[in-house]
Amino acid sequence: MSDLYTLLAFLTAVVVLVLLIARFKVHPVATLFIVVMGLGLVLGMGGTATVELVMEGFGSTLAKVGLLVIFGCVLGKMLELSGAAMKITETALRMFAEKRVPWAIALASTVLGIPLIADTAVVMLIPIVSALAYRTGFSMMRLGPILYIGAYVMTSVIPPGPGPLASASLLEVSMGEAILYGLMVGVPGVLVATLYLSRIKTYVPPKPEFVEHLVGAGGPSSGGSGEGPDDTTPGAKVGLFGALLPILAPIVLIVFASLAGPALPEGSWFTGTVLFVGEPTVALFLACLLALPLFRGRWRDKETLNDLFESGLRIAAMPLALTGVGGALATIIRETGVAESVAGGIEGVGLSPILVPFLVAAAVCTITGSNILGVMTSAAIMQPLLPSLDLSPLAVYLACATGAQIMKHANSSGFWVTTTLSNMTVGQGIRSIGVASVLSGVTGFVVLYAMHAAGLV
């Protein structure tokens, strides 16, 4: 079987994948399964061997990442329902002067984007942001997209977000490195996107249903307080330390174990403890336990100990299935010689290898509308190519994560949630959310490219 035939089969599989999801609205899990099976068959593996490889790739991938995804989704649900997310937002708003409200929202959104999916952060906090827009006179075309973009970038680059978490596992990147270097490319992206959004001049008022209770109680003004909600909000009884602890504790444990573990003396009880609590699965489960006190007396209730966990499991189902089938795709690519053919094609074109995962992730995200699908699918495609591309797994991970931010438009649920709740038109959403997502992804990739050129990744 010629390299040209193998390469054409692979490129056709990618096109079919995108078309089935974007054009024909086939579920991503079913689409990936169809593509994986079809690729194995047309490359001559035979039906039985293809099925065996798919099962092997699916099972081995879920063995690595399954509990991580579950505990990450449960933690996000706990922070949402306990009022911790609201408390973090209120505190960020009180830290900044009125004219800096956009940056306060960006800070809160960035922190919350570590455990929460961006759509969830917008739905939870848009009433607060709308009230701030009404009181301060800021346009919702600024504040709504800023609320979305911070969480969106973090969901794309930082575990325990399901996309980055699955991508890091597929590429065998340590969670400590994924978090640390993800922040290095993610934070500049948020800053540039927020800077762009904060300079938008078009005024869009908040939706009336979010501010009708404020009418007559002090409308828009240049001298409003700019403060967040009062003590009747869901996060009022949650302390800031308690709200931040479940988010920061697993990050500190994982990063410390990753960086300090190799330098600690082997065989000591302290080293064993550090490595145990810093293992990502254990660290995320401990974070869930640390979130229980946020529910105060309700932490013993069935709704907290059982029902809430089931809610997290329902959220985790989709990323788990995608990750498993993505692992099967990586196995097929690795076993059929596709990796060598693709690498040869890239070398023939003269394209810089680090651009490849970035462009693949950007194409999948732009066409399908899902950054989670973009980062996971591109990681599954690139994982077997690592030896041929002469790139570190970390560099490929970061390229996938930055590319998967590009770009949000009318085929994305996050785009519609933010545009609709921010009272914007589709055109205004493209000018704000769409452009901001391109800026964040390109900025992150520029930082990555500089680190790669300097030999840091």
Side-chain angles (χ1 to χ4, degrees):
M1 194 173 296
S2 69
D3 287 346
L4 179 59
Y5 176 84
T6 303
L7 183 59
L8 287 175
F10 171 71
L11 294 177
T12 302
V14 174
V15 172
V16 171
L17 171 74
V18 171
L19 282 176
L20 286 177
I21 295 173
R23 177 68 178 86
F24 298 103
K25 311 303 179 187
V26 180
H27 194 280
V29 175
T31 299
L32 274 170
F33 182 75
I34 293 169
V35 167
V36 169
M37 293 296 295
L39 191 59
L41 291 173
V42 301
L43 291 178
M45 297 194 64
T48 302
T50 299
V51 171
E52 289 177 354
L53 273 180
V54 168
M55 296 301 104
E56 176 189 334
F58 187 91
S60 62
T61 302
L62 285 188
K64 296 177 184 177
V65 76
L67 287 175
L68 285 170
V69 173
I70 290 171
F71 292 150
C73 291
V74 170
L75 176 61
K77 198 67 179 175
M78 295 178 79
L79 294 173
E80 173 190 345
L81 297 181
S82 66
M86 200 73 73
K87 182 64 179 182
I88 292 168
T89 304
E90 294 172 11
T91 303
L93 292 172
R94 293 190 178 106
M95 288 170 57
F96 288 78
E98 178 186 317
K99 64 181 180 179
R100 302 294 184 190
V101 159
W103 293 99
I105 294 172
L107 173 62
S109 177
T110 300
V111 173
L112 294 176
I114 297 173
L116 293 180
I117 295 173
D119 301 30
T120 302
V122 171
V123 171
M124 282 179 56
L125 301 177
I126 201 68
I128 294 178
V129 171
S130 297
L132 283 167
Y134 182 81
R135 289 170 174 165
T136 62
F138 277 112
S139 171
M140 285 301 296
M141 194 172 168
R142 290 186 185 183
L143 301 191
I146 288 174
L147 171 62
Y148 178 74
I149 202 69
Y152 175 67
V153 172
M154 290 298 107
T155 301
S156 302
V157 300
I158 299 290
L165 198 154
S167 177
S169 297
L170 285 167
L171 295 168
E172 298 184 354
V173 175
S174 76
M175 291 299 157
E177 286 186 322
I179 292 170
L180 188 62
Y181 285 89
L183 286 171
M184 293 172 67
V185 300
V187 171
V190 175
L191 292 175
V192 171
T194 302
L195 189 64
Y196 164 75
L197 291 168
S198 64
R199 278 160 170 70
I200 288 178
K201 303 297 184 183
T202 305
Y203 179 73
V204 175
K207 289 177 76 70
E209 55 263 41
F210 291 138
V211 297
E212 57 188 9
H213 63 290
L214 299 174
V215 177
S221 69
S222 59
S225 65
E227 294 180 349
D230 57 29
D231 290 340
T232 63
T233 57
K237 296 182 179 180
V238 176
L240 179 62
F241 177 78
L244 287 172
L245 186 61
I247 299 174
L248 299 180
I251 293 176
V252 172
L253 291 174
I254 292 169
V255 172
F256 183 73
S258 177
L259 298 180
L264 295 174
E266 294 185 12
S268 72
W269 67 268
F270 180 73
T271 302
T273 302
V274 168
L275 295 178
F276 174 71
V277 299
E279 202 282 325
T281 304
V282 176
L284 280 176
F285 183 71
L286 290 175
C288 293
L289 296 181
L290 290 172
L292 284 176
L294 297 172
F295 293 88
R296 297 181 176 267
R298 293 181 293 130
W299 77 268
R300 302 181 187 87
D301 297 345
K302 174 180 176 293
E303 289 78 7
T304 302
L305 295 177
N306 184 79
D307 297 356
L308 191 148
F309 203 91
E310 288 190 358
S311 298
L313 284 174
R314 284 192 289 271
I315 297 171
M318 171 75 160
L320 281 174
L322 279 173
T323 303
V325 184
L329 175 61
T331 302
I332 292 290
I333 292 173
R334 184 170 54 250
E335 296 294 327
T336 55
V338 169
E340 291 77 8
S341 299
V342 173
I346 292 169
E347 185 176 351
V349 173
L351 196 64
S352 174
I354 201 168
L355 279 170
V356 177
F358 174 79
L359 294 176
V360 170
V364 174
C365 179
T366 300
I367 297 171
T368 66
S370 171
N371 61 315
I372 294 176
L373 186 61
V375 68
M376 288 197 296
T377 303
S378 58
I381 292 172
M382 301 311 301
Q383 189 265 341
L385 305 179
L386 285 173
S388 304
L389 292 177
D390 194 28
L391 292 172
S392 70
L394 177 60
V396 172
Y397 165 78
L398 294 173
C400 292
T402 52
Q405 297 170 41
I406 300 172
M407 72 171 275
K408 281 294 172 179
H409 58 95
N411 63 349
S412 161
S413 62
F415 175 89
W416 283 112
V417 166
T418 308
T419 299
T420 303
L421 296 182
S422 299
N423 206 25
M424 294 189 293
T425 65
V426 173
Q428 290 168 339
I430 295 290
R431 284 173 50 206
S432 56
I433 302 166
V435 175
S437 66
V438 172
L439 289 173
S440 67
V442 171
T443 300
F445 182 73
V446 169
V447 174
L448 166 61
Y449 197 90
M451 290 194 298
H452 177 67
L456 299 177
V457 295

